[in-house]
Amino acid sequence: MMKRINFSKIPQALELPDLLEMQKRSFRDFLQEAASPAERKIQGLQASFLDVFPIESTDASMVLDFVKYAFTPTRYKSVEEAQAHDATYATTLKAILRLSSRQPSGKLKQIVEQEVVLCDIPLMTDAGSFIINGAERVVVSQLHRSPGIVFEADEEKNISSLGRKLYVARIIPYRGAWVEFEFDVNNALFVRVDRKKKFPATSFLRACGVDTDAQILQIFFKTEDVPVSADNTDNLLRRICAEDVVDKSTGEILLEARSPVTHEAIRRMSEKNVKTVKLVVGAPDKENPTIWETLRKDPYKGAKEAQQEIYKKLRGQEFIVPGQAEQYLDNLIFKNLKKYDLSHVGRYKIAKKLGPLFGWLSSIKGLRFEVPSERRRTLTAEDLIVTIKYLILLNSGEEALFEHDGKSIKVELDDIDHLGNRRVRGVGELLENQI
């Protein structure tokens, strides 16, 4: 090694770090060559195999499972030897796969386990480079848009008919369909999944399990229990009902959620001995016009109807196989990690930006919502609700702090060019995507 002569007069305070360590560590994490098959983490090659396997036949009679992978010794003992032969300094990747076949009754018929040679993987040298056909090559890290949620101003529609500024929100996954929220000129909120036809945001919530008007009203509006009596008529009239008023003895609905209280409704509730009714605080069409206008444009009343209509719009099919529409959204964004992956980075970014809003949602009485786990890599109904809430705060002009339970966030737009919204993809992650 060449001796380095230092002519500087100022003494060196810190030793120069290994600037290639990030690349070398990324490649080590990709191979996990030193770890035993049982100790390997779900990253790099291990994650690539687990994403693809198991592979099942259409009738589930045959299943191909991944057991483990291994490497063969390199053909050349050193990098210099590979360069001298104008060859590639590489190792061979082998995987052990297990094929299971079952009888029509479901009973296990046969298990075959076999080693399969997949490909050659070039090895990284101590200099962070690769030897390909005797030439030294490097893989450059990429700077890409980080998974997470981005809030931006709407460039096409600036202001609604109510005089409010309009915004868009994009839930960007590491892999899978984008979910985009946008306003129309009447301040109603719509959703696009995978950049296809749009539909009301409340329809999307219904398809995700928040299926009644009462649930939607209680999430986005303040409510209160008001006594039903002749003396309290002035406090009841023309106010919006926040949940269905039901006669417990007959099951008859006396007043539907989202309906205004009238003299006739008060009379019927008094006759049926209804003591209190849950009402929306204030005027919803003025205080929160977004949800109110969206509900007016939402033609669906339940989860199944919303799921079927969304399936028709996204798939472009009129004929629906029973059960297919209900499973479609689950496979697209909610439960199938092979089709939709928010990644740990995306989940972390969402929790960091919208943490207090998750706390606010989980604290609403009468509704069962939870803060998504930091390990959850697919979307949840809670993610959609807090995204809508953040957009409403932006649309109302409240570019200030949102506080809940001692925690606060600043309600503001994102700068997509800011380096905080970008992340570095190392050589290991790039190779994982190629595999």
Side-chain angles (χ1 to χ4, degrees), residues 11 61 68 134 155 162 251 299 353 385:
S61 62
K68 63 180 180 178
E155 296 178 357
L162 302 177
K353 186 172 185 65
I385 293 170

Side-chain angles (χ1 to χ4, degrees), residues 83 182 195 227 237 294 324 410:
Q83 285 180 307
E182 61 181 61
R195 299 185 178 179
L237 276 176
T294 308
Q324 196 169 28
K410 191 175 182 181

Side-chain angles (χ1 to χ4, degrees), residues 32-41 46 68-69:
Q32 299 187 78
E33 194 173 5
S36 65
E39 295 173 346
R40 283 172 179 156
K41 299 177 182 178
Q46 185 77 5
K68 63 180 180 178
Y69 67 86

Side-chain angles (χ1 to χ4, degrees), residues 67-68 96-99 111-115:
V67 179
K68 63 180 180 178
I96 296 178
L97 306 179
R98 181 188 298 129
L99 180 65
I111 296 178
V112 179
E113 201 168 282
Q114 189 172 336
E115 187 178 78

Side-chain angles (χ1 to χ4, degrees), residues 158-177:
N158 294 323
I159 298 177
S160 70
S161 58
L162 302 177
R164 296 191 173 201
K165 289 184 179 180
L166 300 180
Y167 304 92
V168 295
R170 296 183 180 91
I171 303 178
I172 303 171
Y174 186 77
R175 175 180 62 246

Side-chain angles (χ1 to χ4, degrees), residues 170-432:
R170 296 183 180 91
I171 303 178
I172 303 171
Y174 186 77
R175 175 180 62 246
W178 286 28
V179 179
E180 301 173 87
F181 295 85
E182 61 181 61
F183 290 93
D184 68 358
V185 291
N186 296 318
N187 225 95
L189 190 61
F190 288 83
V191 181
R192 290 183 193 272
V193 178
D194 207 15
R195 299 185 178 179
K196 295 181 181 176
K197 290 182 180 179
K198 65 180 182 180
F199 41 86
T202 49
S203 301
F204 197 41
L205 291 182
R206 293 185 203 278
C208 301
V210 188
D211 57 345
T212 64
D213 287 343
Q215 289 177 305
I216 294 171
L217 290 173
Q218 289 172 45
I219 289 171
F220 294 103
F221 297 96
K222 292 182 180 179
T223 60
E224 61 179 357
D225 292 323
V226 180
V228 178
S229 65
D231 300 334
N232 201 27
T233 302
D234 292 340
N235 194 25
L236 291 167
L237 276 176
R238 290 179 293 279
R239 292 185 63 182
I240 303 300
C241 185
E243 66 179 7
D244 292 341
V245 180
V246 182
D247 182 3
K248 295 181 180 179
S249 60
T250 63
E252 179 189 2
I253 298 177
L254 305 175
L255 185 64
E256 290 186 346
R258 204 156 59 93
S259 301
V261 179
T262 61
H263 286 287
E264 176 64 19
I266 295 173
R267 183 186 65 78
R268 294 182 67 191
M269 288 188 288
S270 299
E271 289 177 357
K272 298 297 182 179
N273 202 25
V274 176
K275 300 296 183 183
T276 60
V277 60
K278 190 181 289 291
L279 301 178
V280 174
V281 176
D285 58 334
K286 294 179 181 179
E287 295 181 8
N288 190 350
T290 297
I291 295 298
W292 193 250
E293 288 295 327
T294 308
L295 283 170
R296 287 177 60 183
K297 296 190 176 185
D298 182 0
Y300 316 121
K301 291 295 182 184
K304 188 171 183 178
E305 186 183 1
Q307 288 167 350
Q308 290 179 347
E309 291 304 318
I310 289 173
Y311 178 81
K312 287 179 183 178
K313 286 189 175 182
L314 295 181
R315 298 282 292 174
Q317 297 179 3
E318 288 297 323
F319 176 74
I320 301 176
V321 178
Q324 196 169 28
E326 290 79 359
Q327 297 172 4
Y328 179 68
L329 282 177
D330 284 345
N331 285 328
L332 188 65
I333 56 176
F334 290 121
K335 292 183 179 178
N336 193 338
L337 200 57
K338 292 182 180 179
K339 292 188 176 180
Y340 190 94
D341 186 6
L342 199 58
S343 79
H344 296 299
V345 174
R347 175 57 61 194
Y348 167 77
K349 296 279 285 184
I350 291 174
K352 183 180 178 182
K353 186 172 185 65
L354 305 175
L357 284 171
F358 284 113
W360 155 79
L361 181 61
S362 61
S363 68
I364 298 176
K365 294 181 179 179
L367 299 174
R368 295 181 179 179
F369 290 108
E370 298 178 350
V371 179
S373 167
E374 61 182 14
R375 296 183 179 181
R376 179 73 183 251
R377 289 164 57 189
T378 53
L379 277 185
T380 64
E382 288 86 349
D383 294 323
L384 304 175
I385 293 170
V386 297
T387 302
I388 292 172
K389 178 67 174 177
Y390 196 96
L391 269 177
I392 291 170
L393 293 173
L394 279 172
N395 179 249
S396 62
E398 299 179 24
E399 292 197 26
L401 289 176
F402 175 86
E403 296 186 9
H404 175 77
D405 199 22
K407 297 180 181 179
S408 63
I409 54 171
K410 191 175 182 181
V411 181
E412 59 184 356
L413 295 176
D414 295 311
D415 180 9
I416 196 61
D417 295 322
H418 193 281
L419 288 179
N421 294 320
R422 305 271 175 170
R423 63 182 293 269
V424 177
R425 297 167 75 174
V427 58
E429 192 173 338
L430 295 171
L431 288 172
E432 181 185 332

